[in-house]
Amino acid sequence: MFQLGKTIVSEDILEKDFVCNLAACKGACCVDGDAGAPLSETETKKLDEIYPKIKPFLRKEGIAAIENQGKWTIGTDGDFETPLIENKDCAYVIFDQKTALCGIEQAYNQGIIDWKKPVSCHLYPVRVKDYTEFAAVNYDRWDICESACSLGKELEVPIYKFVKEALIRRFGQDWYLELEKVAAELKTQ
């Protein structure tokens, strides 16, 4: 662990390799697990705002879950998260044949909205936990991502490079440039 501004960062995001392999995992992170995607309070307001524009991209089961539970929920840990369909799929997930995709991101890709998706989804496998004085930036190991770890190792892409755009979105360009300096120093040791 090392400190970078007001963040405490796990060295794993510099040392471990990762590249999502949708062909292998079929987007399992969007349909497996026991909670929805973490959301910030700002993101809950964004979902309230854009829902009418993304609704046409969603499955009927997702729409039903959202209309029953809300555009976002409060999880058992008291944090905001996306609602689930029958405690499994994210309500915003859609399918391209058997591969799970994000309905929000599809609306973004088609220029309907200007928000890609929740930052927690964009950052995955990095998870950020905000505390009063700092944010913890960690690698979330999940066995369903073994193919992503293998592909990352084959392509020699460390996690922090794979999620570069998302890290910049969350922490800013200057923070990311400092992270790259730490990574370069670590590599020379």
Side-chain angles (χ1 to χ4, degrees), residues 13 16-17 24 26 38 41 49-50 62 74-75 85 87 92 105 114 119 129 134 138-139 147 168 173:
I13 72 165
K16 305 290 184 194
D17 296 321
K26 306 292 186 206
E41 186 173 354
E49 173 192 326
I50 65 171
I74 297 177
I85 300 168
N87 292 319
Y92 296 98
E105 189 171 15
D114 63 358
V119 74
K129 177 70 176 165
F134 67 95
N138 290 297
Y139 168 39
S147 63
I168 291 170
Q173 181 72 35

Side-chain angles (χ1 to χ4, degrees), residues 25-33 59 87-90 93-95 100 142 144:
C25 75
K26 306 292 186 206
C29 60
C30 297
V31 296
D32 288 347
R59 299 180 297 149
N87 292 319
K88 193 176 176 197
D89 300 6
C90 173
V93 79
I94 60 174
F95 289 91
W142 196 0
I144 64 172

Side-chain angles (χ1 to χ4, degrees), residues 48 62 64-73 81-84 91-92:
D48 289 339
I66 291 165
E67 292 180 358
N68 181 41
Q69 300 169 51
K71 296 167 196 79
W72 48 272
T73 63
E81 59 188 48
T82 59
L84 299 177
Y92 296 98

Side-chain angles (χ1 to χ4, degrees), residues 33-128:
D34 55 5
L39 299 167
S40 69
E41 186 173 354
T42 302
E43 290 176 319
T44 64
K45 292 177 173 84
K46 190 68 172 177
L47 285 172
D48 289 339
E49 173 192 326
I50 65 171
Y51 180 70
K53 293 178 180 177
I54 61 174
K55 184 177 177 181
F57 290 86
L58 304 179
R59 299 180 297 149
K60 65 180 180 358
E61 302 90 341
I63 293 168
I66 291 165
E67 292 180 358
N68 181 41
Q69 300 169 51
K71 296 167 196 79
W72 48 272
T73 63
I74 297 177
T76 56
D77 59 2
D79 291 337
F80 301 115
E81 59 188 48
T82 59
L84 299 177
I85 300 168
E86 298 178 9
N87 292 319
K88 193 176 176 197
D89 300 6
C90 173
Y92 296 98
V93 79
I94 60 174
F95 289 91
D96 179 7
Q97 298 184 22
K98 293 187 178 193
T99 302
L101 301 171
C102 178
I104 300 167
E105 189 171 15
Q106 293 305 306
Y108 171 83
N109 290 342
Q110 291 189 27
I112 306 297
I113 58 173
D114 63 358
W115 188 63
K116 187 170 186 140
K117 58 184 165 183
V119 74
S120 66
C121 301
H122 197 188
L123 277 167
Y124 203 77
V126 172
R127 282 288 189 227
V128 177

